[in-house]
């Protein structure tokens, strides 16, 4: 039994990640590395993700996640986990890293584990999803390099599809080439993976001067069909290489605080089953206890167990109303004690004066 991770892109317009495309990873490994580096098992292509951002380690029948000292931190169910301190996961937990939200399913029966090639395919597709303003230019395409169709480009549509290449007019890419078969080749694509397959042609297909029956295509692969040369381009693959070598950028903590899909966190509360689930600021330094005059209680007195990290349920629910503890001085909130009024002090002073005068008069009367 392994683990399934569903990755969602954080939408810039505030759309919940649950409605965005899903990129699924399945593993039955003892150790799963999450990061931006090309060797990561789960590759997240954004400079807000560190090269080796976090790691999942098998623990008994489950997994625990550990932040590897990343620049922007790892968040589980809305709480940042301290680097180097494993946080046990359960099915339904929501993990946040930079622009990405991950849903974990433990005890998953892995039918086909995600390999390195599939990881790269998914990373390219994620990158295309983030290049919303340049999506047309980020899509893979075929370019005819010679012959009557020289210069023709065919862009592969977003998502899933197929395209036939050959002499027949029914082919999406028709080649007026006597050495090409009527239906010579087929290209299929799905979630970042583009595959070229020979359909039993007379003269075969070569990719980078090697004859193939089926080939997973990569950026700038050269394809020969008959006497026609084509170039496969995938701009997202080139962008992926550039993103991999970028320096980390600093980002603000997540603005959207998700709940576990199994409601493991009570509304307005916190998951404090482990010290590693405490919410701490992005710099990793726990906040100082606020002054009483600021109206915020410290430590365990905070409403709903939330820390002062910008996600306080109390602050969101009051909508600017002044808390009860701020309307009354601190000494009036102490149970069983009433603050002395000014008139009380005046009466006590006068009584003391009367007592002194009375004692002085009695002393004079008792003299011989």
């Amino acid at each position: 039994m392994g683990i399934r991770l569903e990755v969602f892109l954080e939408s810039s317009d505030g759309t919940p990640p649950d409605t965005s495309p899903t990129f699924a990873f399945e593993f039955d490994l003892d150790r799963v590395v999450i990061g931006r580096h090309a060797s990561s098992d789960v590759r997240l292509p954004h400079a807000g993700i560190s090269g080796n951002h976090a790691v999942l380690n098998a623990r008994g029948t489950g997994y625990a996640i550990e932040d590897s000292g990343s620049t922007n931190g790892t968040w589980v169910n809305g709480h940042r986990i301290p680097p180097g301190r494993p946080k046990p996961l359960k099915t339904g937990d929501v993990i946040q890293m930079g622009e990405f939200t991950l849903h974990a399913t433990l005890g998953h029966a892995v039918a086909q584990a995600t390999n390195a090639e599939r990881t790269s395919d998914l990373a390219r597709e994620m990158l295309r999803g983030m290049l919303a303003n340049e999506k047309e230019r980020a899509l893979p395409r075929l370019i005819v390099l010679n012959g009557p169709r020289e210069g023709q480009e065919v862009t592969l549509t977003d998502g899933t599809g197929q395209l036939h290449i050959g002499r027949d007019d029914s082919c999406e890419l028709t080649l007026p080439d006597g050495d090409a078969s009527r239906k010579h080749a087929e290209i299929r694509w799905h979630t970042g993976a583009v595959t070229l397959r020979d359909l039993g042609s007379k003269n075969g297909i070569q990719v980078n001067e090697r004859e193939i029956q089926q080939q997973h295509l990569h950026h700038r692969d050269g394809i020969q069909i008959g006497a026609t040369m084509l170039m496969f381009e995938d701009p997202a693959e080139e962008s992926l290489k550039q993103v991999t070598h970028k320096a980390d950028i600093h980002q603000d903590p997540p603005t959207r605080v998700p709940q576990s899909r199994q409601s493991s966190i009570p509304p307005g509360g916190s998951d404090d089953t482990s010290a590693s689930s405490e919410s701490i600021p992005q710099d990793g330094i726990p906040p100082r206890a606020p002054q009483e005059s600021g109206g915020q209680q410290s430590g365990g007195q905070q409403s709903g167990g939330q820390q002062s990290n910008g996600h306080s349920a109390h602050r969101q629910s009051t909508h600017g109303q002044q808390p009860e503890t701020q309307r009354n001085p601190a000494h009036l909130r102490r149970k069983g004690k009433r603050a002395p009024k000014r008139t009380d002090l005046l009466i006590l002073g006068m009584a003391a004066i009367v007592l002194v005068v009375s004692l002085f008069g009695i002393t004079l009367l008792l003299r011989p």
Side-chain angles (χ1 to χ4, degrees):
M1 305 299 279
I3 186 170
R4 176 183 171 89
L5 295 171
E6 296 176 351
V7 179
F8 303 86
L9 299 179
E10 186 67 31
S11 172
S12 59
D13 61 3
T15 304
D18 301 31
T19 63
S20 69
T22 305
F23 304 93
F25 296 80
E26 297 184 2
F27 302 100
D28 54 5
L29 303 172
D30 291 335
R31 177 181 171 87
V32 177
V33 176
I34 305 173
R36 182 160 44 101
H37 197 273
S39 63
S40 299
D41 300 301
V42 178
R43 193 174 178 185
L44 304 180
H46 191 276
I49 303 296
S50 297
N52 182 5
H53 195 103
V55 63
L56 295 167
N57 288 309
R59 178 178 287 189
T61 58
Y63 281 83
I65 188 168
E66 181 179 326
D67 185 89
S68 302
S70 64
T71 298
N72 294 303
T74 302
W75 305 72
V76 177
N77 297 331
H79 299 271
R80 184 173 181 176
I81 60 173
R85 291 172 62 180
K87 164 70 176 172
L89 292 176
K90 52 188 176 295
T91 294
D93 278 349
V94 181
I95 304 163
Q96 287 175 289
M97 300 177 183
E99 303 290 319
F100 304 91
T101 299
L102 295 79
H103 288 175
T105 303
L106 277 66
H108 180 74
V110 177
Q112 185 174 358
T114 304
N115 58 24
E117 189 169 62
R118 181 62 178 156
T119 294
S120 295
D121 292 340
L122 292 170
R124 287 197 300 273
E125 196 66 12
M126 282 186 237
L127 193 56
R128 271 190 275 271
M130 290 185 288
L131 298 173
N133 297 330
E134 304 177 31
K135 197 152 192 176
E136 185 73 25
R137 286 181 288 171
L139 292 172
R141 57 181 176 262
L142 283 171
I143 304 172
V144 181
L145 301 180
N146 66 341
R149 302 287 191 190
E150 182 178 354
Q152 181 179 351
E153 293 187 12
V154 178
T155 300
L156 308 187
T157 58
D158 194 15
T160 301
Q162 63 180 17
L163 176 149
H164 294 93
I165 306 172
R167 283 199 336 268
D168 197 274
D169 290 339
S170 65
C171 294
E172 288 81 6
L173 177 54
T174 305
L175 299 179
D177 183 341
D179 292 326
S181 298
R182 295 180 63 82
K183 284 197 174 180
H184 197 110
E186 176 188 66
I187 289 181
R188 287 179 177 266
W189 61 95
H190 174 68
T191 322
V194 181
T195 304
L196 172 66
R197 183 168 68 94
D198 192 320
L199 296 178
S201 64
K202 180 177 65 174
N203 292 315
I205 302 173
Q206 288 192 352
V207 174
N208 300 329
E209 300 182 348
R210 276 183 46 237
E211 190 163 344
I212 60 98
Q213 290 298 315
Q214 184 166 303
Q215 177 77 32
H216 194 98
L217 294 179
H218 293 281
H219 183 58
R220 300 196 64 79
D221 274 348
I223 304 166
Q224 182 174 351
I225 294 178
T228 306
M229 299 297 300
L230 302 98
M231 177 73 72
F232 174 76
E233 289 190 351
D234 189 348
E237 186 169 345
E238 185 64 25
S239 298
L240 184 61
K241 292 179 182 177
Q242 295 172 5
V243 168
T244 300
H245 296 99
K246 280 186 177 180
D248 289 4
I249 61 171
H250 290 269
Q251 291 184 301
D252 293 332
T255 55
R256 182 177 179 272
V257 184
Q259 295 289 324
S260 167
R261 287 185 295 174
Q262 290 190 337
S263 300
S264 60
I265 304 176
S270 65
D271 178 12
D272 56 4
T273 56
S274 168
S276 64
S277 66
E278 290 180 339
S279 177
I280 62 177
Q282 188 177 8
D283 58 8
I285 303 174
R288 296 181 180 178
Q291 300 295 325
E292 280 191 322
S293 60
Q296 292 284 343
Q297 298 179 8
S298 64
Q301 291 178 323
Q302 263 187 313
S303 174
Q306 296 284 355
Q307 301 290 330
S308 303
N309 66 345
H311 302 306
S312 173
H314 177 70
R315 281 181 291 175
Q316 293 173 358
S317 61
T318 57
H319 298 291
Q321 295 179 6
Q322 195 175 24
E324 184 65 29
T325 56
Q326 193 171 355
R327 292 199 298 267
N328 299 311
H331 59 274
L332 293 182
R333 300 197 304 270
R334 294 171 185 153
K335 187 175 180 180
K337 292 186 178 182
R338 183 176 63 86
K341 296 181 180 180
R342 189 173 295 178
T343 54
D344 294 340
L345 295 174
L346 184 59
I347 292 172
L348 289 173
M350 293 178 64
I353 294 172
V354 170
L355 179 60
V356 171
V357 172
S358 298
L359 290 174
F360 182 74
I362 292 171
T363 303
L364 291 177
L365 289 174
L366 293 178
R367 282 185 179 181

